[in-house]
Amino acid sequence: MTEEFHRIRRLPPYVFASVNQAKAAARARGEDIIDLGMGNPDSPTPPHIVEKLVESVQNPRAHGYSVSKGIPGLRRALAGYYERRFNVKLDPEREVIATLGSKEGLANLASAITSPGDTILVPNPSYPIHQFGFIIAGASVRSIPATPDDNMLRALERAVRHSVPKPTALIVNFPSNPTAYLADLDFYKELVAFARREEIFILSDLAYAEIYFGDLVPPSILAVPGAKDIAVEFTSLSKTYCMAGWRMGFAAGNERLISALTRIKSYLDYGAFTPIQVAAVAALNGPQDCVADIRALYKDRRDVLIRGLHAAGWDVPSPEGSMFAWAPIPEPFRELGSVEFSKLLLKEAGVAVAPGLGFGEHGEGFVRIGLVENTQRLRQATRAIRGFLSAHGVKPAAPSSPSCKPEPV
């Protein structure tokens, strides 16, 4: 009776646990910790969305069980967003389902389509649910490069030739968490052509669709002709509208995959609270200036962070999208590894970051830094980091105004 349950045995120890424990202990001692390790938006949800929630929750008829696949008006609103933003037409009845955030949708679709022993192709490093949703469902995961370039495409070709059984699905995530890479439509065209040829499903995580900083506006994979034959895409209101705790997301695309997810969810939940769904309609159909404001806020924070780190002597590439910077560990600390470096940075600088190892073995050597504090706190953080690095022999950079143009992938 003491043996671990089968699915629990397949999950490794939580990489972030020791850093989180050190963070909690420091705060218990009264220390001021600047937490850049989480991906939790710190800005309030736009007022018109909150007002719609308040209005809806006062209606007693909205207090009962909802609809697992999402109320019709919400599915129509998501279809309207896709047509406006990506020029993609979706059938709200057959090609759209509301989820309790994109994470829940990904995990439940993994359970719906996975047989024990299936092989799934997952970028490494990547957001943990991308691999562990399938590992929990009984699949084997094969890592591929996380960059949207020929390296990934060549790795996919090798994976098909050398995997037994043949891979059944591929995960992609652009703008990506944690690496902040973006993909363009030409890359998606090659990906869709590959997947159709090899009869492999694509699951695209587009949770950061509206958080971008340059000329490349993140496209939807569903904009590629024929993509809906093999692809489903997950989106979320969490970052776009600062609605992380509301837990509202979507899956859209391939009718067979949407049907499978719908059937699984019909056994597991009754959908999000109806007033939250009504407020989500207001978010998607209402004024969108708040989205541009949120994007500008993250861009300002990115610029402050990257310039401050550069001045401190830490050369971190400027992210082109998402709400994270993917930072190589400074040379004097690389032998420590990402977990021990994160703990040392917390101890000596009072700044918490996420160790790259938590996003896969190829995340080792990096830490993820979230743009989740205001610019004043980010400046405070970079000053503390500068003192920390200087104490360990890292010289500050010569005064300059470094470009925030992202490095090419």
Side-chain angles (χ1 to χ4, degrees):
M1 295 294 288
T2 60
E3 187 177 355
E4 280 278 22
F5 297 110
H6 169 69
R7 295 192 192 282
I8 301 302
R9 285 202 306 269
R10 301 200 74 200
L11 299 177
Y14 188 55
V15 170
F16 304 111
S18 61
V19 177
N20 289 342
Q21 289 169 2
K23 184 168 58 181
R27 283 178 168 158
R29 294 191 297 268
E31 297 177 22
D32 178 24
I33 300 300
I34 303 174
D35 191 354
L36 308 181
M38 301 296 289
N40 195 11
D42 62 312
S43 299
T45 305
H48 69 281
I49 302 173
V50 176
E51 289 166 8
K52 179 56 71 172
L53 173 69
V54 172
E55 174 190 321
S56 181
V57 82
Q58 291 173 350
N59 179 2
R61 296 178 61 188
H63 294 180
Y65 291 126
S66 190
V67 182
S68 180
K69 66 185 296 185
I71 60 176
L74 180 56
R75 286 181 277 116
R76 288 194 297 269
L78 191 278
Y81 164 75
Y82 259 80
E83 187 164 8
R84 293 190 309 271
R85 173 70 166 78
F86 304 113
N87 196 28
V88 170
K89 293 185 181 296
L90 294 169
D91 181 341
E93 289 299 318
R94 298 181 299 169
E95 296 177 334
V96 176
I97 182 173
T99 62
L100 306 178
S102 57
K103 184 176 182 179
E104 175 268 322
L106 278 160
N108 277 326
L109 184 59
S111 295
I113 68 174
T114 302
S115 299
D118 280 355
T119 299
I120 308 297
L121 305 176
V122 181
N124 191 333
S126 69
Y127 187 55
I129 196 62
H130 294 158
Q131 62 171 319
F132 289 113
F134 282 96
I135 288 173
I136 292 169
S140 298
V141 168
R142 179 169 183 147
S143 294
I144 58 171
T147 51
D149 57 18
D150 287 343
N151 288 330
M152 178 183 281
L153 295 171
R154 287 194 295 268
L156 291 173
E157 297 283 357
R158 290 194 299 271
V160 169
R161 287 199 305 270
H162 300 299
S163 294
V164 178
K166 177 182 175 181
T168 58
L170 159 68
I171 310 296
V172 292
N173 169 216
F174 303 109
S176 60
N177 176 9
T179 61
Y181 292 131
L182 268 65
D184 59 23
L185 200 58
D186 286 339
F187 176 76
Y188 281 147
K189 288 177 181 177
E190 294 192 64
L191 209 60
V192 167
F194 163 81
R196 293 183 70 188
R197 183 175 67 249
E198 300 296 342
E199 298 183 328
I200 294 173
F201 288 120
I202 298 177
L203 279 59
S204 169
D205 182 353
L206 194 61
Y208 294 89
E210 303 303 338
I211 310 298
Y212 57 89
F213 310 124
D215 295 332
L216 176 56
V217 178
S220 164
I221 198 170
L222 300 180
V224 177
K228 284 196 286 185
D229 293 342
I230 45 83
V232 68
E233 191 157 66
F234 292 88
T235 53
S236 168
L237 303 190
S238 295
K239 311 307 189 296
T240 303
Y241 300 98
C242 296
M243 295 173 64
W246 299 53
R247 306 314 304 135
M248 180 52 61
F250 304 91
N254 179 266
E255 185 177 342
R256 183 183 175 197
L257 294 178
I258 296 298
S259 176
L261 179 55
T262 301
R263 187 167 183 182
I264 283 286
K265 281 177 62 61
S266 71
Y267 282 91
L268 298 176
D269 67 68
Y270 286 105
F273 186 37
T274 298
I276 291 178
Q277 297 192 51
V278 173
V281 174
L284 290 167
N285 289 348
Q288 299 300 299
D289 53 333
C290 59
V291 178
D293 291 343
I294 291 167
R295 185 184 306 123
L297 178 143
Y298 284 121
K299 184 178 185 299
D300 288 345
R301 293 180 177 185
R302 178 202 68 167
D303 293 350
V304 166
L305 176 71
I306 297 302
R307 290 189 176 114
L309 293 176
H310 176 89
W314 191 353
D315 188 13
V316 176
S318 183
E320 53 187 318
S322 84
M323 54 190 288
F324 306 107
W326 186 235
I329 296 174
E331 181 63 41
F333 307 96
R334 287 183 185 168
E335 290 188 2
L336 287 178
S338 60
V339 174
E340 291 306 313
F341 172 74
S342 298
K343 290 162 70 174
L344 185 65
L345 186 66
L346 177 70
K347 178 182 178 182
E348 297 191 9
V351 177
V353 296
L357 185 61
F359 303 97
E361 61 179 311
H362 297 300
E364 186 56 280
F366 292 80
V367 294
R368 191 192 72 178
I369 307 175
L371 306 174
V372 291
E373 289 278 5
N374 61 45
T375 54
Q376 179 180 347
R377 289 284 277 174
L378 288 173
R379 289 188 180 95
Q380 181 183 346
T382 57
R383 286 195 298 269
I385 290 171
R386 181 171 182 162
F388 162 76
L389 293 177
S390 179
H392 288 272
V394 178
K395 295 181 179 180
S400 65
S401 297
S403 169
C404 281
K405 183 179 180 180
E407 293 187 353
V409 296

